[in-house]
Amino acid sequence: LKVAVIPGLDVFGNYTWMQSAFDSTGVDCNNFLYAGNTFARAPEHSFSAGFSAKARIVQKLWFFATPWYAWQSHFWFTETNTAGLDQQAYGILNINFGLEMADPDLVLSIYGTNLLEEKYISSAGHWGGQFGIPTFVPGPPQMVGVSVTWKF
């Protein structure tokens, strides 16, 4: 959902409610191994919200800012729903802001991701799990950067 509140200010957001689980039996009437388990990487609840603002400073020069927050509830990394191979609820705060020029067509921006330094796992199980030693991949840490875009 995106709403233009006033010229130069948009508010946006979304919410997802998902209930996913393996059925108890297949079309052949045999029991499923993972009956009742939730699908991998399928949080029941997730949302994101933020705003995008843009204001003219002087002729052919604008300031812009877009902060947003994204959150998701607990989820499993594998269909087996194995304890320890899951991720508790977490949220990430990000921002992108800067200056946009019309002549030359140039954008200077500063961005930040995971600004609250949330610790989370982005992947678990998989190849190492085949050998009884599951792998755990941490989510990206807080990052800040600069971007320059020039259209010519």
Side-chain angles (χ1 to χ4, degrees), residues 8-86:
L9 178 61
D10 295 336
V11 175
F12 59 87
N14 68 56
Y15 170 76
T16 302
W17 175 54
M18 176 173 47
Q19 288 189 313
S20 64
F22 288 96
D23 199 355
S24 59
T25 59
V27 292
D28 59 1
C29 294
N30 290 327
N31 292 335
F32 277 143
L33 179 63
Y34 303 136
N37 288 6
T38 59
F39 295 168
R41 302 193 58 87
E44 184 175 356
H45 303 279
S46 63
F47 77 86
S48 67
F51 68 86
S52 184
K54 188 174 182 179
R56 182 168 36 191
I57 299 172
V58 295
Q59 187 72 17
K60 298 185 180 184
L61 180 65
W62 293 267
F63 171 80
F64 66 89
T66 305
W68 71 98
Y69 183 78
W71 178 89
Q72 56 188 4
S73 63
H74 170 270
F75 63 89
W76 300 97
F77 285 109
T78 64
E79 286 81 9
T80 58
N81 293 181
T82 304
L85 295 180
D86 59 335

Side-chain angles (χ1 to χ4, degrees), residues 71-144:
W71 178 89
Q72 56 188 4
S73 63
H74 170 270
F75 63 89
W76 300 97
F77 285 109
T78 64
E79 286 81 9
T80 58
N81 293 181
T82 304
L85 295 180
D86 59 335
Q87 173 60 57
Q88 297 305 313
Y90 70 96
I92 303 294
L93 177 64
N94 306 297
I95 191 167
N96 184 34
F97 65 94
L99 298 172
E100 183 176 333
M101 296 176 240
D103 190 21
D105 193 352
L106 189 66
V107 178
L108 306 169
S109 64
I110 298 172
Y111 62 88
T113 58
N114 195 5
L115 293 174
L116 302 177
E117 298 186 60
E118 184 75 32
K119 306 286 188 232
Y120 64 99
I121 302 297
S122 65
S123 183
H126 307 294
W127 291 104
Q130 302 298 321
F131 304 105
I133 308 168
T135 53
F136 293 93
V137 179
Q142 179 187 69
M143 292 191 281
V144 177

